[in-house]
Amino acid sequence: DKKQSIYSLQGAAPREFDRMQAQFKAKFDAAGAGFQETTLDYSFRSSAAILRLVDQTFDNRIAAGFAKDSQHVAFKSDLPGRVDLWPVVEKVDDEDDRVWYDPVDRRSSKHHSVVLADQIAKSIQTLIGEKHTIPTDGDAAGTFNKRPIRAGDFLILVQRRSALFSEIIRACKAHDLPIAGADRLKVGAELAVRDLGALLSFLATPDDSLSLATALKSPLFGWGEQQLFDTAHRRTQDHLWQAIRSKPEDFPDTFPTLRDLRDNVDFLRPYDLIERILTRHDGRRKLLGRLGTEAQDGIDALLSQALAYERTAVPSLTGFLVWMKTDDLDIKRQIDSASDQIRVMTVHGAKGLEAPIVILPDTGKRDNPVRGDMVKMGDVPVWKAKEADTPARMKTAIDDKKESQLNERMRLLYVALTRAEKWLIVAGAGDMGKTSEDSWYNTIQAAMVHSNAVDAAFPSVGMVKRLTHGDWDAPTEIPAKTTQPTAAVLDPVFTRTAPAHVEKQKTLSPSKMDGAKALAGPAALDEDTAKAYGTLVHWHLEHPHAQGPAPSNLSDDLIEQAAVEARAVLDAPDLANIFAADALAEVTISAPFGSHRLHGTIDRLIITPTSVIAIDFKSNVIVPADPDRCPDGILRQMGAYQIALQAVYPSHKIETGIVWTKTQTLMMLTHDLVFAALKSSPYLDV
């Protein structure tokens, strides 16, 4: 398919298509056999809306390889689709308004590339977050549904890895969007590799304080600026490693790792040493946690380099560091849509790929120079002359070269447009030029106008030009299938010593201590009903002004009886101080209790400058005549309150008492009485 010949850098020449076609035709004709000239008009990927734009964009561009009057046919003729053209982000000169400590290559937040990158990230975030939908490919019956848009639907294509390329990745990360990172990595430039390289440089040369400081600031050790300054600037030793080694107790998380690596550096091959950093000392997890999953490829490439080095040279650490700096390894990352991440790559790298939603942001004006000092005139390469001295024949050769480059750029645009399945989004920032030949944006804009594109609203962008096919929102929505990737987790037993087992501290509840809670005698109610009745009385005492029915499943007679009993307590003159405004109600308390922990709630707490009185409500049917006859379970409960309150208020006098709701009387309990009950408990060690 001559329309997709975009690799002149590898020697591909589209004119060879025509030459070979003519040669085969001549031989077929000489043999008396019919020769059929066919074109690839059917598209099994894109919606008719996208193909309509493609046909309009490349209409009459025969020199670029597009046949005259050739029209694409959508195999999925009913698949809804749309093409959006965003407004241009106007060019802004990057003013030097950075603070002094910012990197010199960081662009201003007002720069057009930064603005467009943030616009793209916000739009993707809105489309995913607000559950916008996209049509599905359809089933065997030709029925189209729709599903929520997800991150893996987006493929962002650029012409080159320029500033906009890195700004888009930065903006997506800043908006917490799942992004696969760059599609091509220079191993030596990766932050994770540079951090590991700094640590290896220190291990090879302990006096290299700069490399050690770099490693300490990296995720491998996580030092802050202040900690590093305090250690390095105020040291009395010549080298940073000496300062750390002289006070190992000040660096409990750093010194053991450095000591272990220094002890093994002379005995391990470079690969084994790197693997020891990554696995035994948890370096891989730390680097990926700070730098993201895309750092994985750089780390793995470094390990592969170490193995390759060991196959060809004596495996010394110093030799490996020199070899690593001189070998400028460039790797292509395999990024697929199954990972459900946004993909950002060049159009050249996307050849053969596809995505439901394709964004083309790098559509601005580009120069078309003939690079190099040589130019071919026929089959003879000659030196290029200065422009003023260029002879006519050489000028013709240069113009032909420029025309060839322009045609290949148009074929590159064709590849970019046809990567989209359902939604194509075209954007631009900076200088777009004045004619359709100056930029992709102008070319596409002219095609949109001829295709009668209409105005439409786009989230986070505003009004855009839109070309549609079918009803985007008509299909029935189905839930998206989501798969949660399972990450392999290394058992901690391989990286650290298991902590000593610590027995969980037993928690005690004062109201559930052992011992009788009521005096023996004829019971008016069964145990469960008595508990429910007591709970209801407590509720009325806690909510004296509550309106509406009380929360209970008791009979109407018992509900009424509980309300009357509680009201009698609230109205008793002798108990007025218990319900005074300064008395605390339902006070939660937690305190040490021997070898255990006490958690409980005190019904009423009266605090004075010198004393604390804890009051508990009891709805027992049989009320003891005096404190000595109070049930052991109640005495132990109040004793627990007394010990807990003594821990909270060590300088106060602690007193406890019971309000018997049946008789509306207050019974104060002595310290010796409740403490004796606690000591007799077989379960407490107080």
Side-chain angles (χ1 to χ4, degrees):
D1 186 3
K2 189 168 60 172
K3 300 189 299 295
Q4 300 193 50
S5 178
I6 59 174
Y7 295 122
S8 63
L9 69 161
Q10 296 177 354
R15 63 179 178 272
E16 293 299 310
F17 284 86
D18 297 329
R19 186 182 69 81
M20 291 304 299
Q21 185 181 32
Q23 184 174 331
F24 277 114
K25 185 178 185 304
K27 291 186 177 182
F28 270 67
D29 291 342
F35 184 81
Q36 297 181 355
E37 298 184 23
T38 61
T39 57
L40 301 176
D41 294 333
Y42 269 96
S43 171
F44 295 85
R45 173 189 301 132
S46 303
S47 166
I50 297 169
L51 297 178
R52 194 157 79 247
L53 173 73
V54 170
D55 290 337
Q56 188 64 54
T57 300
F58 300 99
D59 183 37
N60 238 358
R61 293 185 180 270
I62 301 174
F66 299 92
K68 186 176 182 181
D69 300 326
S70 176
Q71 296 290 315
H72 287 82
V73 180
F75 179 79
K76 303 171 185 175
S77 58
D78 296 329
L79 176 63
R82 55 173 55 163
V83 179
D84 287 345
L85 180 67
W86 289 4
V88 174
V89 177
E90 297 298 334
K91 183 177 181 180
V92 175
D93 293 329
D94 198 357
E95 299 178 0
D96 192 7
D97 57 353
R98 298 178 298 266
V99 292
W100 65 269
Y101 50 79
D102 268 357
V104 294
D105 57 350
R106 177 175 294 174
R107 288 167 176 77
S108 165
S109 60
K110 300 177 183 178
H111 190 272
H112 48 268
S113 296
V114 177
V115 172
L116 178 57
D118 288 337
Q119 198 175 67
I120 292 171
K122 289 177 183 177
S123 298
I124 294 176
Q125 187 180 51
T126 301
L127 291 174
I128 297 174
E130 296 183 358
K131 305 295 183 184
H132 288 251
T133 58
I134 191 171
T136 61
D137 289 337
D139 54 23
T143 302
F144 294 100
N145 296 310
K146 61 183 179 181
R147 59 167 176 79
I149 293 174
R150 59 176 185 266
D153 292 330
F154 292 92
L155 174 61
I156 304 175
L157 299 180
V158 296
Q159 297 189 58
R160 56 203 167 139
R161 295 177 184 85
S162 59
L164 181 60
F165 179 82
S166 56
E167 288 296 338
I168 290 173
I169 295 177
R170 175 203 60 77
C172 288
K173 289 183 177 181
H175 286 80
D176 293 327
L177 294 170
I179 186 168
D183 62 329
R184 191 174 293 273
L185 300 177
K186 286 192 176 295
V187 176
E190 284 296 292
L191 288 177
V193 174
R194 294 171 67 179
D195 289 339
L196 289 168
L199 181 55
L200 293 175
S201 296
F202 157 70
L203 295 176
T205 310
D207 293 346
D208 188 351
S209 297
L210 179 59
S211 292
L212 176 56
T214 303
L216 294 176
K217 281 291 298 296
S218 76
L220 295 170
F221 297 97
W223 278 34
E225 192 73 40
Q226 189 62 49
Q227 183 181 12
L228 180 61
F229 179 83
D230 291 340
T231 305
H233 182 68
R234 297 183 173 89
R235 71 179 189 268
T236 57
Q237 298 84 353
D238 291 335
H239 304 291
L240 183 57
W241 169 233
Q242 293 175 336
I244 295 175
R245 189 175 55 185
S246 64
K247 296 181 179 180
E249 66 279 359
D250 292 346
F251 314 100
D253 297 326
T254 301
F255 178 76
T257 299
L258 293 177
R259 179 76 278 170
D260 174 73
L261 295 174
R262 286 287 308 135
D263 290 343
N264 289 278
V265 65
D266 294 329
F267 306 99
L268 295 178
R269 299 175 301 152
Y271 176 88
D272 294 331
L273 189 62
I274 298 171
E275 192 58 58
R276 191 179 189 89
I277 297 170
L278 295 173
T279 304
R280 179 182 290 271
H281 297 297
D282 211 17
R284 185 183 292 270
R285 183 188 64 81
K286 294 175 180 177
L287 289 169
L288 296 183
R290 176 81 68 83
L291 303 176
T293 55
E294 63 267 27
Q296 181 82 42
D297 293 316
I299 295 173
D300 292 342
L302 177 63
L303 290 170
S304 298
Q305 275 191 299
L307 289 176
Y309 167 75
E310 292 170 9
R311 286 194 294 265
T312 59
V314 176
S316 69
L317 180 57
T318 303
F320 173 67
L321 289 172
V322 173
W323 184 77
M324 187 176 72
K325 292 177 181 178
T326 56
D327 183 23
D328 191 14
L329 180 62
D330 192 11
I331 62 172
K332 183 177 181 180
R333 301 177 64 231
Q334 297 299 323
I335 305 171
D336 55 45
S337 58
S339 61
D340 198 24
Q341 294 178 309
I342 300 167
R343 294 172 289 170
V344 186
M345 59 181 64
T346 62
V347 182
H348 283 96
K351 185 77 160 57
L353 300 181
E354 60 187 40
I357 305 173
V358 170
I359 302 177
L360 299 182
D362 186 11
T363 58
K365 181 180 178 181
R366 289 192 62 182
D367 295 331
N368 188 26
V370 176
R371 303 185 186 280
D373 296 326
M374 307 292 292
V375 62
K376 289 186 70 173
M377 296 176 60
D379 294 329
V380 180
V382 297
W383 292 102
K384 280 196 306 183
K386 293 181 179 180
E387 186 174 358
D389 301 331
T390 304
R393 188 178 174 189
M394 181 178 289
K395 186 176 186 305
T396 300
I398 293 175
D399 290 341
D400 289 344
K401 180 65 175 177
K402 289 184 177 180
E403 180 69 17
S404 175
Q405 291 178 170
L406 181 61
N407 288 333
E408 174 156 330
R409 192 173 298 172
M410 292 306 299
R411 293 191 294 272
L412 188 68
L413 174 59
Y414 174 83
V415 171
L417 297 179
T418 53
R419 297 312 94 196
E421 296 176 12
K422 296 135 187 168
W423 197 351
L424 174 65
I425 300 172
V426 181
D431 185 8
M432 298 293 114
K434 297 180 180 180
T435 69
S436 61
E437 303 297 327
D438 289 337
S439 65
W440 283 4
Y441 188 93
N442 289 347
T443 302
I444 297 172
Q445 186 180 44
M448 293 283 283
V449 171
H450 282 89
S451 300
N452 298 320
V454 298
D455 291 334
F458 196 103
S460 303
V461 176
M463 298 305 295
V464 301
K465 290 293 183 183
R466 175 167 294 174
L467 188 65
T468 63
H469 174 77
D471 191 341
W472 184 274
D473 298 317
T476 304
E477 183 172 351
I478 58 175
K481 295 181 179 179
T482 57
T483 56
Q484 188 67 26
T486 56
V489 180
L490 185 66
D491 194 303
V493 71
F494 296 107
T495 57
R496 60 177 174 80
T497 305
H501 177 68
V502 178
E503 288 288 340
K504 186 177 180 180
Q505 193 175 32
K506 186 178 179 181
T507 301
L508 300 175
S509 174
S511 61
K512 295 181 180 180
M513 290 187 176
D514 58 301
K517 301 297 190 298
L519 295 177
L525 302 172
D526 60 81
E527 183 177 355
D528 291 339
T529 304
K531 287 182 178 179
Y533 181 85
T535 300
L536 184 55
V537 172
H538 274 69
W539 185 88
H540 281 294
L541 293 174
E542 295 167 22
H543 309 87
H545 305 294
Q547 301 293 325
S552 178
N553 56 359
L554 295 173
S555 65
D556 293 341
D557 291 339
L558 289 177
I559 292 176
E560 178 63 24
Q561 181 180 331
V564 171
E565 185 171 322
R567 176 49 57 189
V569 173
L570 293 169
D571 294 339
D574 295 338
L575 304 178
N577 65 316
I578 295 176
F579 300 99
D582 58 348
L584 304 179
E586 294 298 307
V587 179
T588 301
I589 189 169
S590 179
F593 193 68
S595 60
H596 309 301
R597 188 80 187 176
L598 180 79
H599 291 295
T601 303
I602 302 173
D603 290 340
R604 290 282 165 168
L605 199 62
I606 303 172
I607 303 175
T608 70
T610 58
S611 66
V612 176
I613 303 174
I615 304 296
D616 199 74
F617 302 136
K618 297 298 180 186
S619 58
N620 294 28
V621 175
I622 302 176
V623 178
D626 54 64
D628 292 334
R629 297 187 181 184
C630 195
D632 287 342
I634 294 177
L635 292 176
R636 288 168 183 159
Q637 175 184 353
M638 304 311 293
Y641 286 151
Q642 181 153 354
I643 291 179
L645 288 169
Q646 195 69 68
V648 179
Y649 299 95
S651 61
H652 285 59
K653 178 183 178 182
I654 310 299
E655 297 179 86
T656 59
I658 302 292
V659 169
W660 303 103
T661 61
K662 186 174 182 61
T663 59
Q664 299 91 49
T665 56
L666 172 63
M667 178 183 289
M668 298 302 295
L669 306 175
T670 65
H671 175 275
D672 294 340
L673 180 64
V674 297
F675 197 74
L678 281 176
K679 291 181 64 176
S680 66
S681 172
Y683 304 106
L684 304 179
D685 53 348
V686 297

